[in-house]
Every structure is written in C-alpha cells, then in structure tokens.
C-alpha cells in the first residue's frame, strides 16, 4: 500500500508512510475508545529512536 501511495503521489516511501500514519491516527482518535494521549512515533527510517518499538525506525 505504501509503495502505491508513494508512486501515486510522487513522494518518497517514508513520506507516504508518515502521511498514511497521520490519516490512520486521526481516524483512530475519532473512533469510540480512541486515545488522544498517545503521541505518534516520528523518526526517519534507519534512525535510532528510544520511543519506537525495538528502538529503531
């Protein structure tokens, strides 16, 4: 899905992924039981991020 979005929009794969993540986060926040207190994980693929699962993007 991310590959297709990247190709269709002319974005890099990681940019398409973050855009999709933002959209799904918004949808999830508006759903019953959605949580507005968990911030999304943001980092560039390959960077080390202590908040990301496994510590790496």
């Amino acid at each position: 899905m991310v590959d297709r979005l990247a190709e269709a929009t002319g974005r890099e794969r990681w940019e398409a992924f973050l855009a999709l993540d933002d959209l799904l986060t918004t949808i999830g926040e508006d759903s019953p039981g959605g949580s507005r207190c968990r911030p999304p994980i943001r980092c560039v693929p390959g960077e080390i991020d202590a908040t990301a699962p496994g510590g790496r993007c």
Side-chain angles (χ1 to χ4, degrees):
M1 175 181 260
V2 173
D3 289 334
R4 289 181 181 180
L5 284 171
E7 185 178 326
T9 62
R11 293 179 174 178
E12 295 291 327
R13 288 186 75 241
W14 66 270
E15 292 174 304
F17 174 82
L18 290 180
L20 178 60
D21 181 58
D22 288 342
L23 174 65
L24 294 176
T25 297
T26 300
I27 292 169
E29 287 174 346
D30 291 338
S31 68
S35 175
R36 295 181 189 273
C37 62
R38 286 179 278 163
I41 297 170
R42 295 269 182 247
C43 60
V44 175
E47 284 187 351
I48 295 173
D49 182 350
T51 64
R56 193 168 201 96
C57 289

